[in-house]
Amino acid sequence: QDDFSGKYIWPGFKESLIEEEDGGLSWRFPDEKTGSPLASIAENAFLLRVMNTKIVFHKGTDGKATELVFGSGTDSTTCKRIE
């Protein structure tokens, strides 16, 4: 799961964080104190229940995530990893 942890940038918006928390992953904006847990639904895919949104990570050749895609219905947003 550490392969997914890091800072990602929403296009034209702001950063979001994927962090390890309580043995799993969570998602939050930097100005929030606690993250929202992600439920694993596939090897590189998670469900962000609070927003009913699927998050799919795309990995580079080193095995670490290079970006994530937020998907809800037919809408999707790609967020590049910045660190």
Side-chain angles (χ1 to χ4, degrees):
Q1 292 187 358
D2 190 46
D3 294 342
F4 304 127
S5 296
K7 212 178 265 190
Y8 296 81
I9 188 80
W10 279 80
F13 188 48
K14 64 179 180 177
E15 299 169 357
S16 62
L17 301 171
I18 300 290
E19 300 173 312
E20 285 198 45
E21 188 174 283
D22 297 328
L25 290 175
S26 69
W27 170 85
R28 71 178 177 91
F29 288 118
D31 55 353
E32 297 174 323
K33 290 186 177 164
T34 58
S36 298
L38 301 179
S40 179
I41 55 175
E43 184 180 341
N44 293 342
F46 295 82
L47 181 64
L48 178 58
R49 288 190 184 114
V50 296
M51 294 173 65
N52 196 29
T53 301
K54 186 169 144 182
I55 297 175
V56 178
F57 291 91
H58 296 171
K59 292 183 175 185
T61 55
D62 63 356
K64 292 196 177 268
T66 57
E67 64 186 19
L68 61 80
V69 178
F70 271 84
S72 181
T74 57
D75 294 331
S76 67
T77 302
T78 300
C79 303
K80 298 285 183 192
R81 186 178 190 167
I82 54 176
E83 66 177 58

